[in-house]
Amino acid sequence: MPPRDQRDPAVLTPAGRRGRHARLPLPDAPDPEAGDPETGDPDATVPDSDAPGAGRRKKSWRQLMMVVLAAIVLMLLIKAFVVQVYRIPSSSMEDTLLTGDRVLVNKLIYHVRGIARGDIVVFSGDGSWGSTTGAPDPSPPGNPLLRAGYGVLADIGVYSTQTYYIKRVIGLPGDHVVCCVNGKVTVNGVPLDETSYLFPGASPSIQSFNVIVPPGRLWVMGDNRAISDDSRGHMSSAPAMGTVLENEVAGRAFMVIWPPSQIGDLPIPATFQLAALHADAAAAAMTAVPAAVPAAGAAVLLGIPVLALRTRRALRTRRIRTGRRGRPRGYAGARR
């Protein structure tokens, strides 16, 4: 037996609970052709540690730009078709609206319902009052491309050469508006109680007028009647007795959003809800009823045979189904 110091130099380690031992394999000899593991392969390329970070930064910038672009497009669409902020430039609507107030204008509402008496509307002076100086607004450019671009910018409220006004609707197409009868403005003979929105101490109108509003046009007035340049002031200079075009209305002002002390909604005053003001519309509806009744009666008479036929078919189907399930009394059944 060789001496202890000449035995296999493998190290013995415990292998289990029974005290058995196993030999650890000797380390493999280094491959002379392999490179130094610490130094690595000299021909191998070292990955750029900045490349993944740069890619992530570029991706995040693209995502940020997409979010900003989507937000801008959404804002422009909302501004063009839904709601837009307007600044009150003068005191003609005091005390309802003060100079410098910002109001939200609903541009979608008149696609759902018609313009109502008492609405505060924003409208263009095109086809009626023109600019504040009385001169007509500049016409759009002659170049078709420039005209189209101008139209888009005007629709979204970014740029426009048109002059916009804000007033309260007093008369609708066909209304007979008169002032003053016993010190009040009357619409179709109905006196308006304007104390809730007129400037304190102001009279309904110092200037008298008697106008039947033409089709497709509106009679509008400011709440501060003493200084408001409204339909009364354009009776002689503008077409159609100072009325404005319905199709030039941009929308209805429904809320003040600035300054904080003025925040609030702009409801239609109660005086415009009087039943007498809507009597003409009710009368028109009543006159349309006799013409509609015969047509409705004819439809009912023609529908009776159809209803009877459908009822007969339903009963026949029900009998067949009942016979298959339970065969009620008296059912003979089909012969084979």
Side-chain angles (χ1 to χ4, degrees):
M1 182 175 181
R4 181 180 299 273
D5 56 354
Q6 295 180 1
R7 294 178 185 176
D8 189 354
V11 178
L12 300 178
T13 56
R17 297 177 59 183
R18 297 183 179 181
R20 296 182 181 179
H21 297 78
R23 290 186 178 182
L24 291 176
L26 292 176
D28 296 336
D31 187 359
E33 296 181 359
D36 188 357
E38 295 183 357
T39 59
D41 187 359
D43 296 332
T45 58
V46 179
D48 187 3
S49 59
D50 294 337
R56 286 193 294 270
R57 285 195 295 270
K58 291 180 180 179
K59 185 176 180 180
S60 62
W61 272 108
R62 285 197 297 268
Q63 292 176 345
L64 179 61
M65 292 301 296
M66 290 297 294
V67 170
V68 172
L69 182 61
I72 293 174
V73 171
L74 180 61
M75 179 191 67
L76 293 178
L77 289 175
I78 291 174
K79 193 173 183 181
F81 301 107
V82 183
V83 68
Q84 186 173 347
V85 178
Y86 284 84
R87 178 183 177 275
I88 305 303
S90 68
S91 57
S92 65
M93 286 294 294
E94 290 183 354
D95 273 349
T96 306
L97 300 174
L98 306 180
T99 304
D101 285 355
R102 267 70 171 181
V103 296
L104 281 179
V105 174
N106 188 334
K107 305 179 79 171
L108 189 63
I109 187 170
Y110 294 135
H111 295 281
V112 178
R113 70 164 177 87
I115 300 172
R117 302 181 190 91
D119 281 351
I120 298 176
V121 296
V122 172
F123 59 93
S124 168
D126 191 22
S128 57
W129 303 353
S131 63
T132 53
T133 60
D137 287 324
S139 58
N143 188 307
L145 294 178
L146 292 178
R147 190 186 305 114
Y150 167 82
V152 172
L153 294 178
D155 288 339
I156 62 179
V158 174
Y159 172 79
S160 178
T161 58
Q162 293 183 337
T163 304
Y164 285 88
Y165 299 87
I166 182 166
K167 302 293 179 185
R168 189 182 298 277
V169 177
I170 304 297
L172 298 177
D175 282 349
H176 187 194
V177 187
V178 179
C179 187
C180 290
V181 178
N182 297 324
K184 292 185 177 182
V185 174
T186 64
V187 178
N188 299 329
V190 179
L192 300 179
D193 183 4
E194 302 184 286
T195 55
S196 64
Y197 57 86
L198 279 187
F199 186 83
S203 62
S205 179
I206 298 176
Q207 179 183 356
S208 61
F209 53 87
N210 189 332
V211 176
I212 296 178
V213 183
R217 306 187 76 94
L218 305 168
W219 178 269
V220 295
M221 301 175 73
D223 289 353
N224 191 356
R225 302 285 167 81
I227 65 170
S228 177
D229 183 20
D230 47 37
S231 290
R232 299 168 299 165
H234 296 273
M235 292 178 63
S236 58
S237 58
M241 298 293 289
T243 56
V244 299
L245 289 169
E246 278 187 299
N247 57 13
E248 292 297 334
V249 173
R252 175 180 179 262
F254 67 97
M255 177 175 285
V256 181
I257 61 171
W258 190 263
S261 59
Q262 285 288 101
I263 292 178
D265 62 341
L266 299 169
I268 298 177
T271 188
F272 293 100
Q273 307 296 334
L274 295 174
L277 281 175
H278 307 281
D280 292 341
M286 291 298 293
T287 56
V289 169
V293 167
V300 171
L301 292 175
L302 291 175
I304 289 175
V306 177
L307 181 61
L309 180 60
R310 289 185 178 179
T311 305
R312 184 178 179 183
R313 289 179 179 175
L315 290 174
R316 182 182 302 174
T317 304
R318 183 177 179 182
R319 289 173 183 173
I320 293 173
R321 290 178 179 176
T322 305
R324 287 178 181 175
R325 293 180 181 177
R327 291 191 178 183
R329 184 178 299 176
Y331 178 80
R335 294 183 179 181
R336 294 182 180 178

